[in-house]
Amino acid sequence: MTAELSRRSNNSLATMLFTMLGRSIKRLVPTAIALFILLALWQALCSAPDASLPGPVQVVQDTWELIVDPFYQGEGTDQGLFWQLIASLKRVAVGYTLAAIVGIAVGILIGVSLLMFQALDPIFQVLRTVPPLAWLPIALAAFKDSQPAAIFVIFITAIWPIVINTAVGVQNIPQDYNNVAKVLQLSRMDYFFKVLLPATVPYIFTGLKIAIGLSWLAIVAAEMLTGGVGIGFFIWDAYNSGSNSEVILAIVYVGIVGLLLNAIIGYIASRVVPEEQK
Amino acid sequence: MSAFVEIDHVDQVFPMPNGGKYIALKNITLDIQKGEFITLLGHSGCGKSTLLNIVAGLAKPSAGGVILAGKQVTEPGPDRMVVFQNYSLLPWLTVRENIALAVNRVMRDQSAAERAAIVDQHIDMVKLRPAADKRPGQLSGGMKQRVAIARALSIRPKLLLLDEPFGALDALTRSGLQDQLMQIAQEHQLTCIMVTHDVDEALLLSDRIVMLTNGPESYIGQILDVPFERPRERLEVVNHPSYYAMRTEIVYFLNQQKQAKKRKLVAAEPIARNGLEKVNLDIGFVPLTDCAPLAIAKEKGLFEKYGLEQVTLSREPNWKAIADGITTGRLDAAQMIAGMPLGLTLGMNGKPPVPVVTGLVMSRNGNAITLSKRFYHDGVRTLEDLKEAIARTSDKVPTLAAVHPASMHNLMLRHWLASGGIDPDKDVNIVMIPPPQMAIALKSGTIDGYCVGEPWNSRAVQEGTGFVIATDLDIWSGHLEKVLGVREDWAARYPNTHLALVKALLEACEYCDDRRNREELVEILARPDYVGVDPAYLRPGLVTPYDRGTDAEPEQLLRFNQFYVDRTNCPYRVEGLWIMTQLARWGIAPFPRNWLDILNRTRRVDVFGAAARDLGLPDIEPNRGIVTFADGSVFNPDDPIGYLNNLTIKHDNVRIEEISIDPPVAAITH
């Protein structure tokens, strides 16, 4: 199922995944067996007539309509799963992009300036421990609308790992490189683009990778509370209407999309991070 | 002519986590000429890379500074390009881009085509054209270092700084690169400073090898001139007749440093009172004008000021009693004649060595050579006259007196006689007499002259029995005279007490040099506790013009008794070295092959420096350099053995040997 989905999304990504799979074919066999046992166990546990959750066969039967027609468009929140996911991904895209831009900038700032680091780092250490959903009421109160509030939650969730990793990256630029820059009296522009940025890129991508995972975690939870089209609200809505099969299907999709997001960032990193620094 | 690079009294002090300070470099002074290749050599941790970073401008010295071509170094700049130990190429740029980054920045007024040409030219120079578009990750260590050298040279630095450039390379690559560097440096007349710990590399490449001692307080221990002709060929250099000797010299230096590192000193005693391990001290002195700092410290309460509550000054009859008092431990510390700590340390006259250290010079000058009035009546006015007079009476050898074999009086009297062609061991007879008995012995005719400190010259002059033929200002103006001596193990057991004592005496020295206090000095010294003589004998030189007892008018000699001014108080190592050559010259003690180690241990410049800093006084050791005497002879501290060998008048058997001053192992285990 994984391979099937990825083939649809991006060709070179699929090739990469395939080569990855090919390389680890031995590792894949146990995974497949484990998956099969898990499904069988699940089926066995839920095959009793009074079981509270449906088994895998039941799930596929119940949600066949949703699986085969992800592009269905109805009224209001009655949309196909593809559109639900797209709606969630759009929010993540906006929030995450904002977090990346602001996070890298702030990270470089506090990485370069010890004063800024001393001023801001303790505050960041406190703020980053606040759970994403705790921001939601404040965001709703401030923006008076659920859409920007959800985006804000993504933003505030994703920004901390980016800021902190970028700052660490800047602080860890090898002294040798800084010495070269000092002796040559490189201009600020040269220093930024020839030394600071290339040296920090691996750290930035570590932050970006952590952040994308967190964003996806946060969006599902946020949407459950804010409503509207989106995979989070879809799950909540399915639960309220008593369709546990739909909930389970949505969870599978959420997991797969999360995996894909991670793979995409990893792929970009592999293209951008200089060979010598991996 | 001023030097191309002047490293001027550079100190580097690092704060330590426990709030203390680590003095990495102390008083580094070095002049480098244009086109010279200098190597800094020493064990790891001796601060040679720190020094290089200071010259590069990457580190700021705590004191002192570096001047390059007349301009002070305040920040790093491309005129002092560094070849770093670990290449420091940017891994995301190709060879060409790495070099271009430097060229484009530094030569930005030239056209892009010109800059590209420069980059290409330097890629070719290090023969890396095939690898020009590769990244450092794809290159070998040797190739990376070639890129680093090409990058450094491409921007035409005034000064090339190399920090162990070939340390990480295999032997074959290393020698290839050394040849290449040598050729490039020769062609472009580069001025280079290189840090290394490879002796052969240093000898092959350098014009001068600067050897740094181990930290803390690293300083320039010795500078070796490498005289091989340029351009050099590796094999010619290795087969040069003096190559082996020079190599041995360097290895010997490094070994000495290594041994010094391993040495364990006695642990310090616990603190007793006032932050000191010991507050009751017995300090010995001999009644002379220059015991003034001790007298002043006692009378003005300076000992108490620094926590030394019960100091007893012990008036000793002669210098031998002082030496015995210190070796037996009867005395904690003593005013000593300058050669005594070194003489005791080396084991003079066949005695076992007792390491004695000096943390303070208490006075300079203050001596004179007095001859019997008989010579004056015979027309003796100068050293030449004296030589003739001695030659005239070949049947009678004049007897001259000094106070102790290791005293400056003995050494300077002999130096003075020898400079006039008089062999002090053959043409005259030199005997040892305690200072207070000099004038009496001269009067009674037992001796015909002497060299001693005041008031014993003025006494003979005023009694009309003698005249002063020379003061030490006429022999070696500003020479050290009296020092503070303590046993090395005493200094190790009571480090804070030692420091307090040096501080108290340093403050006393400053007081003594103020001419407004000189009358008071005379009054105090005249008391029976101290010198115990008529104040009239004490005044000449110290207060009033100095009367030589000749027809000449008395002369005001402002530096006759020097206690503080003109950096009196630092136990300058070069002076200690000269004293050791003289002790050997006259057969009093062997010259130590390990002179650097002996100096390092016995001249406690660090204690003096700490005391001076605590008192807010300058703590600078005088510049290490050539000493010139009044007779025109010179002493080069980089070649003491050569100096000793070149002297014509000396003892028949001048010994040069390794002197171990560490206690035997058995004694430690007891």
Side-chain angles (χ1 to χ4, degrees):
Chain A
M1 202 150 64
T2 314
E4 220 172 75
L5 260 173
S6 64
R7 193 181 301 151
R8 232 185 279 164
S9 63
N10 181 314
N11 215 7
S12 64
L13 189 65
T15 340
M16 197 189 76
L17 275 177
F18 265 130
T19 45
M20 260 168 57
L21 293 180
R23 244 180 272 139
S24 56
I25 194 80
K26 275 185 191 160
R27 272 211 336 250
L28 201 66
V29 174
T31 311
I33 295 171
L35 188 65
F36 178 78
I37 294 175
L38 220 62
L39 288 172
L41 201 66
W42 176 16
Q43 182 66 39
L45 284 172
C46 299
S47 56
D50 60 341
S52 55
L53 290 177
V57 177
Q58 182 73 41
V59 168
V60 174
Q61 278 170 1
D62 287 353
T63 60
W64 187 247
E65 215 172 299
L66 287 169
I67 297 173
V68 293
D69 191 8
F71 302 108
Y72 166 79
Q73 275 179 306
E75 291 291 310
T77 60
D78 180 23
Q79 305 290 340
L81 272 174
F82 176 80
W83 303 114
Q84 302 281 2
L85 287 169
I86 285 294
S88 298
L89 283 171
K90 270 185 189 160
R91 293 193 186 100
V92 169
V94 176
Y96 180 77
T97 308
L98 286 175
I101 294 168
V102 177
I104 292 173
V106 173
I108 289 176
L109 181 71
I110 66 171
V112 169
S113 155
L114 185 66
L115 180 72
M116 284 305 213
F117 182 78
Q118 286 167 340
L120 296 177
D121 186 61
I123 301 173
F124 290 171
Q125 293 299 340
V126 171
L127 290 183
R128 82 188 176 91
T129 62
V130 176
L133 284 189
W135 292 104
L136 192 59
I138 293 238
L140 283 170
F143 295 111
K144 299 191 172 65
D145 186 11
S146 64
Q147 182 72 1
I151 291 174
F152 175 76
V153 170
I154 302 304
F155 171 80
I156 206 77
T157 309
I159 196 167
W160 307 123
I162 302 177
V163 167
I164 290 164
N165 278 283
T166 306
V168 168
V170 173
Q171 286 164 346
N172 281 341
I173 296 176
Q175 191 57 41
D176 289 346
Y177 302 162
N178 284 332
N179 280 346
V180 169
K182 279 192 216 159
V183 171
L184 293 177
Q185 292 176 341
L186 289 186
S187 63
R188 277 169 184 274
M189 285 284 277
D190 264 355
Y191 177 71
F192 187 81
F193 286 108
K194 297 276 171 57
V195 180
L196 187 140
L197 212 53
T200 318
V201 155
Y203 291 86
I204 293 177
F205 270 93
T206 308
L208 288 175
K209 236 176 180 172
I210 299 171
I212 194 73
L214 289 179
S215 307
W216 192 238
L217 290 183
I219 190 66
V220 174
E223 281 174 354
M224 283 187 180
L225 297 179
T226 56
V229 180
I231 195 71
F233 184 69
F234 176 85
I235 293 174
W236 193 240
D237 195 35
Y239 165 73
N240 280 334
S241 57
S243 172
N244 286 336
S245 295
E246 287 183 11
V247 172
I248 291 169
L249 178 74
I251 287 174
V252 171
Y253 276 139
V254 167
I256 291 166
V257 170
L259 184 77
L260 279 177
L261 288 176
N262 244 332
I264 291 168
I265 299 293
Y267 174 74
I268 297 173
S270 74
R271 301 297 293 269
V272 175
V273 177
E275 194 65 39
E276 284 75 20
Q277 286 183 287
K278 279 177 208 160
Chain B
M1 193 195 93
S2 70
F4 184 58
V5 183
E6 293 170 55
I7 301 172
D8 188 11
H9 296 99
V10 164
D11 290 359
Q12 186 64 293
V13 183
F14 298 112
M16 288 201 294
N18 63 8
K21 284 176 175 173
Y22 181 82
I23 303 181
L25 295 172
K26 185 75 202 154
N27 202 28
I28 305 284
T29 296
L30 183 68
D31 285 354
I32 299 167
Q33 303 303 327
K34 206 172 167 64
E36 218 180 353
F37 198 118
I38 296 285
T39 296
L40 302 176
L41 196 76
H43 284 290
S44 35
C46 74
K48 49 193 193 304
S49 289
T50 308
L51 183 58
L52 198 76
N53 281 343
I54 289 172
V55 178
L58 290 167
K60 272 209 162 60
S62 312
V66 176
I67 294 171
L68 171 68
K71 269 179 73 179
Q72 183 164 7
V73 169
T74 52
E75 54 173 3
D79 55 343
R80 281 154 285 126
M81 187 61 193
V82 188
V83 176
F84 296 95
Q85 189 174 1
N86 26 17
Y87 325 125
S88 295
L89 302 173
L90 300 176
W92 43 85
L93 300 182
T94 64
V95 168
R96 188 189 303 280
E97 287 166 343
N98 262 296
I99 300 175
L101 180 67
V103 173
N104 290 341
R105 175 63 194 166
V106 178
M107 308 191 164
R108 49 187 179 275
D109 9 324
Q110 301 194 19
S111 74
E114 281 172 316
R115 293 191 306 237
I118 292 172
V119 173
D120 280 337
Q121 179 203 338
H122 285 86
I123 292 175
D124 287 340
M125 185 176 74
V126 292
K127 304 183 180 69
L128 277 176
R129 169 135 321 247
D133 293 312
K134 287 187 176 160
R135 294 212 172 131
Q138 299 162 282
L139 303 181
S140 70
M143 288 162 90
K144 281 189 231 176
Q145 194 57 289
R146 270 145 71 188
V147 180
I149 292 174
R151 177 176 65 183
L153 293 175
S154 66
I155 55 173
R156 296 265 170 274
K158 289 181 189 161
L159 180 62
L160 186 62
L161 304 169
L162 304 120
D163 189 358
E164 296 194 26
F166 312 126
L169 305 177
D170 64 274
L172 199 65
T173 317
R174 193 185 312 165
S175 67
L177 279 184
Q178 286 165 351
D179 289 340
Q180 227 171 5
L181 174 63
M182 192 158 54
Q183 194 192 339
I184 292 168
Q186 177 84 24
E187 272 170 22
H188 296 88
Q189 286 298 304
L190 282 174
T191 311
C192 299
I193 305 178
M194 179 176 74
V195 163
T196 187
H197 46 231
D198 181 329
V199 177
D200 297 295
E201 179 172 290
L203 279 168
L204 176 68
L205 296 175
S206 338
D207 296 307
R208 275 193 295 162
I209 299 175
V210 176
M211 292 181 262
L212 293 174
T213 61
N214 282 343
E217 304 204 17
S218 295
Y219 59 93
I220 297 175
Q222 198 180 351
I223 298 175
L224 200 69
D225 279 310
V226 184
F228 309 141
E229 291 277 310
R230 285 191 188 275
R232 294 176 184 168
E233 283 291 331
R234 180 176 297 270
L235 277 178
E236 279 174 24
V237 166
V238 174
N239 292 326
H240 193 277
S242 56
Y243 182 84
Y244 188 70
M246 298 184 82
R247 195 179 190 287
T248 314
E249 180 103 19
I250 300 172
V251 171
Y252 187 83
F253 172 91
L254 292 173
N255 277 342
Q256 268 187 69
Q257 295 300 312
K258 199 151 86 190
Q259 273 167 8
K261 218 176 193 174
K262 278 192 263 174
R263 187 175 298 132
K264 280 189 190 129
L265 283 178
V266 191
E269 300 274 320
I271 301 293
R273 281 168 70 94
N274 307 334
L276 306 178
E277 301 86 0
K278 197 173 195 292
V279 293
N280 56 322
L281 300 181
D282 284 319
I283 304 177
F285 74 99
V286 170
L288 284 160
T289 301
D290 42 21
C291 75
L294 283 167
I296 287 298
K298 178 81 178 162
E299 297 297 322
K300 294 282 162 190
L302 294 176
F303 289 127
E304 285 83 357
K305 181 176 170 187
Y306 293 97
L308 300 162
E309 289 170 353
Q310 303 163 44
V311 170
T312 313
L313 293 184
S314 174
R315 192 176 192 260
E316 304 288 327
N318 54 47
W319 294 109
K320 197 174 167 304
I322 294 265
D324 291 344
I326 286 291
T327 44
T328 59
R330 179 175 61 83
L331 297 172
D332 291 291
Q335 172 206 30
M336 284 187 173
I337 36 185
M340 185 175 273
L342 290 162
L344 291 171
T345 302
L346 297 174
M348 59 183 162
N349 295 333
K351 293 211 189 87
V354 179
V356 173
V357 303
T358 300
L360 183 75
V361 174
M362 296 203 281
S363 67
R364 288 176 184 271
N365 300 333
N367 298 325
I369 297 171
T370 297
L371 294 182
S372 162
K373 259 281 161 55
R374 178 172 61 78
F375 286 107
Y376 193 73
H377 297 317
D378 290 350
V380 173
R381 297 290 182 276
T382 62
L383 183 56
E384 292 81 56
D385 299 342
L386 179 65
K387 185 177 163 70
E388 279 171 29
I390 293 171
R392 273 202 301 274
T393 55
S394 52
D395 53 323
K396 187 173 171 287
V397 173
T399 300
L400 302 178
V403 299
H404 189 273
S407 76
M408 288 305 284
H409 316 98
N410 184 29
L411 303 182
M412 290 186 58
L413 176 63
R414 285 168 178 269
H415 174 87
W416 179 72
L417 290 170
S419 72
I422 303 170
D423 188 329
D425 286 319
K426 301 194 176 96
D427 302 330
V428 294
N429 177 30
I430 295 184
V431 297
M432 298 302 147
I433 293 181
Q437 294 167 29
M438 289 286 188
I440 302 156
L442 186 73
K443 200 176 187 176
S444 70
T446 347
I447 56 174
D448 306 298
Y450 54 78
C451 179
V452 74
E454 294 300 331
W456 310 114
N457 296 296
S458 295
R459 183 157 177 179
V461 166
Q462 291 184 21
E463 287 176 347
T465 52
F467 74 104
V468 170
I469 187 163
T471 68
D472 41 20
L473 303 178
D474 307 321
I475 304 170
W476 178 12
S477 180
H479 75 84
L480 74 175
E481 174 52 34
K482 297 299 188 301
V483 300
L484 177 70
V486 301
R487 276 211 324 274
E488 189 185 38
D489 60 328
W490 189 94
R493 279 167 66 196
Y494 310 112
N496 292 310
T497 311
H498 190 200
L499 183 62
L501 181 58
V502 170
K503 280 196 268 190
L505 289 172
L506 185 54
E507 190 171 332
C509 284
E510 195 182 4
Y511 187 90
C512 291
D513 221 318
D514 192 332
R515 298 198 81 82
R516 289 167 297 186
N517 303 328
R518 288 288 172 88
E519 273 301 337
E520 184 188 4
L521 238 60
V522 170
E523 185 269 315
I524 291 172
L525 287 173
R527 294 179 197 166
D529 292 347
Y530 301 109
V531 188
V533 293
D534 185 337
Y537 296 144
L538 287 162
R539 282 206 179 86
L542 187 63
V543 189
T544 54
Y546 193 76
D547 183 2
R548 292 168 182 252
T550 61
D551 299 335
E553 279 296 301
E555 192 185 353
Q556 185 65 269
L557 301 175
L558 287 176
R559 291 290 166 86
F560 187 70
N561 287 104
Q562 192 178 317
F563 297 103
Y564 174 76
V565 294
D566 214 4
R567 289 184 284 207
T568 289
N569 308 103
C570 180
Y572 181 25
R573 296 183 185 95
V574 168
E575 292 172 333
L577 185 58
W578 183 79
I579 289 175
M580 292 202 290
T581 63
Q582 298 305 300
L583 293 176
R585 179 185 187 181
W586 307 118
I588 301 162
F591 183 79
R593 179 84 184 78
N594 49 332
W595 51 270
L596 200 80
D597 188 37
I598 302 272
L599 277 184
N600 204 18
R601 283 175 69 173
T602 56
R603 314 304 280 183
R604 294 298 297 269
V605 178
D606 59 327
V607 175
F608 163 74
R613 286 192 294 278
D614 282 357
L615 264 54
L617 302 174
D619 65 339
I620 293 176
E621 183 176 9
N623 284 354
R624 189 177 177 286
I626 287 170
V627 180
T628 308
F629 301 95
D631 64 353
S633 63
V634 292
F635 172 63
N636 175 8
D638 286 316
D639 189 16
I641 295 175
Y643 169 80
L644 205 45
N645 288 337
N646 288 336
L647 293 166
T648 45
I649 299 181
K650 59 188 168 197
H651 193 260
D652 298 333
N653 180 22
V654 172
R655 288 174 298 152
I656 297 172
E657 53 195 56
E658 174 101 22
I659 296 178
S660 168
I661 57 172
D662 287 313
V665 179
I668 298 172
T669 52
H670 274 303

